């Protein structure tokens, strides 16, 4: 099985995903093969919020990801959460995988994946109908990192859909934006929604820097993931 979804003994899912598995409690049943199509399972792919440009401490961020995934993943009867990063050398993916081992989290409902979040299906065979964006408070396409990648890949459709929905977002909050079906991310990757999330900023070169105040920072990052996962739950429902 190429659907590598465990944390310690099996490396990240880095290429194509097995599209069908034996019938489980998730997904829709194919009446002919009596199998479940993984493509049909609502899936949120999310990057590690704040840990690159916003310079948030990776150990603390990993603790919060694990805490929030543990809180939410088993609440989803029929949905998956996937933490994504670009490289096999990703420190945050390694930390999360180490910290999650031994926790009571269903490996079908949460796993990690190495790849570009804008090409999860076309290059990795992983269907994710929802992707999260580590956004800036203005919800501008610019900057770098995953924000620029998602706005570039989605085309002007995402910018206009975002502006229709919300003008700005304060740290710790998320906004769900339905993606117009003309967007290349929709047609090529099957992404129907983007959830913008603004995390805490520890980078003095960026707005709203918390000056190393990790009491505030951790609270804001927890709120950001809560808001992200609740936003995803509102789509799945
Ligand atoms: N696919 C998957 N993961 C990615 C990709 C990608 N294409 N690009 C980056 N990552 P960052 P932040 C990972 O810096 O720290 C922007 O300028 C990356 O390796 O994108 O929250 C915004 O406008 C890291 O693990 O977001 C904001 O101003 C994670 O995504 C600011 O950066 C987040 O890295 C937000 O900074």
């Amino acid at each position: 099985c190429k659907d590598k979804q465990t944390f310690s003994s099996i490396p990240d899912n880095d290429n194509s995903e097995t599209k069908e598995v034996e019938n489980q409690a998730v997904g829709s049943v194919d009446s002919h093969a009596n199998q479940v199509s993984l493509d049909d399972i609502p899936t949120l792919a999310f990057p590690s919020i704040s840990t690159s440009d916003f310079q948030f401490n990776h150990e603390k961020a990993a603790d919060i990801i694990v805490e929030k995934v543990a809180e939410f993943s088993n609440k989803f009867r029929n949905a998956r959460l996937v933490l994504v990063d670009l490289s096999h050398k990703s420190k945050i993916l390694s930390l999360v995988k180490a910290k999650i081992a031994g926790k009571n989290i269903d490996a079908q409902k949460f796993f990690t994946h190495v790849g570009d979040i804008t090409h999860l299906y076309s290059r990795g065979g992983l269907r994710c109908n929802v992707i999260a964006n580590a956004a800036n408070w203005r919800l501008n396409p610019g900057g770098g990192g995953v924000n620029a990648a998602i706005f570039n890949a989605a085309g002007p459709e995402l910018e206009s859909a975002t502006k229709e929905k919300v003008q700005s977002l304060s740290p710790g909050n998320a906004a769900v934006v339905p993606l117009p079906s003309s967007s290349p991310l929709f047609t090529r990757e099957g992404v129907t929604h983007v959830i913008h999330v603004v995390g805490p900023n520890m980078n003095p070169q960026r707005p709203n820097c918390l000056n190393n105040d990790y009491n505030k920072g951790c609270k804001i990052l927890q709120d950001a993931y809560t808001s992200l996962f609740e936003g995803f739950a509102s789509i799945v429902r």
Side-chain angles (χ1 to χ4, degrees):
C1 172
K2 287 197 283 176
D3 192 19
K4 303 167 193 167
Q5 297 179 354
T6 56
F7 305 102
S8 46
S9 57
I10 301 178
D12 302 293
N13 185 348
D14 62 350
N15 44 34
S16 66
E17 174 184 54
T18 300
K19 301 281 172 46
E20 298 198 326
V21 294
E22 292 297 319
N23 188 11
Q24 296 165 356
V26 289
S28 66
V29 178
D30 177 323
S31 57
H32 299 295
N34 195 26
Q35 288 183 329
V36 172
S37 170
L38 288 177
D39 286 358
D40 293 341
I41 302 171
T43 304
L44 167 69
F46 64 100
S48 168
I49 308 298
S50 288
T51 51
S52 184
D53 194 38
F54 278 178
Q55 300 180 359
F56 199 91
N57 176 281
H58 285 213
E59 283 278 350
K60 294 186 203 307
D63 284 336
I64 290 169
I65 291 169
V66 171
E67 174 198 327
K68 288 293 159 185
V69 164
E71 185 183 333
F72 279 89
S73 67
N74 292 333
K75 287 186 189 168
F76 294 121
R77 200 172 55 85
N78 180 25
R80 309 184 294 183
L81 304 174
V82 186
L83 175 65
V84 178
D85 202 355
L86 286 168
S87 163
H88 282 284
K89 292 182 184 153
S90 166
K91 189 177 162 198
I92 197 78
L93 292 192
S94 303
L95 285 167
V96 167
K97 284 193 288 182
K99 287 174 192 285
I100 212 133
K103 301 260 189 229
N104 184 23
I105 294 175
D106 184 342
Q108 302 288 326
K109 291 187 175 175
F110 173 71
F111 54 96
T112 61
H113 180 89
V114 174
D116 184 334
I117 203 164
T118 64
H119 287 82
L120 292 174
Y121 187 64
S122 57
R123 292 186 191 156
L126 179 64
R127 273 278 187 209
C128 297
N129 61 318
V130 185
I131 61 172
N133 176 30
N136 55 65
W137 73 277
R138 289 181 195 276
L139 301 174
N140 275 341
V146 76
N147 183 68
I150 289 175
F151 272 103
N152 280 337
E157 288 92 339
L158 178 59
E159 207 180 337
S160 48
T162 300
K163 290 292 172 237
E164 249 175 54
K165 191 92 187 174
V166 58
Q167 294 301 313
S168 65
L169 211 53
S170 53
N173 290 288
V176 176
V177 176
L179 197 57
S181 57
S182 52
S183 165
L185 263 191
F186 189 112
T187 49
R188 191 189 64 222
E189 307 295 330
V191 174
T192 61
H193 295 76
V194 173
I195 306 181
H196 298 295
V197 193
V198 180
N201 172 35
M202 296 297 175
N203 179 352
Q205 313 293 318
R206 298 283 178 268
N208 305 314
C209 177
L210 291 171
N211 298 318
N212 228 29
D213 182 347
Y214 273 96
N215 286 330
K216 275 193 195 151
C218 288
K219 171 79 174 66
I220 293 172
L221 193 58
Q222 286 166 326
D223 289 348
Y225 281 108
T226 297
S227 189
L228 168 61
F229 295 152
E230 283 176 349
F232 177 54
S234 75
I235 299 167
V236 171
R237 249 179 244 128

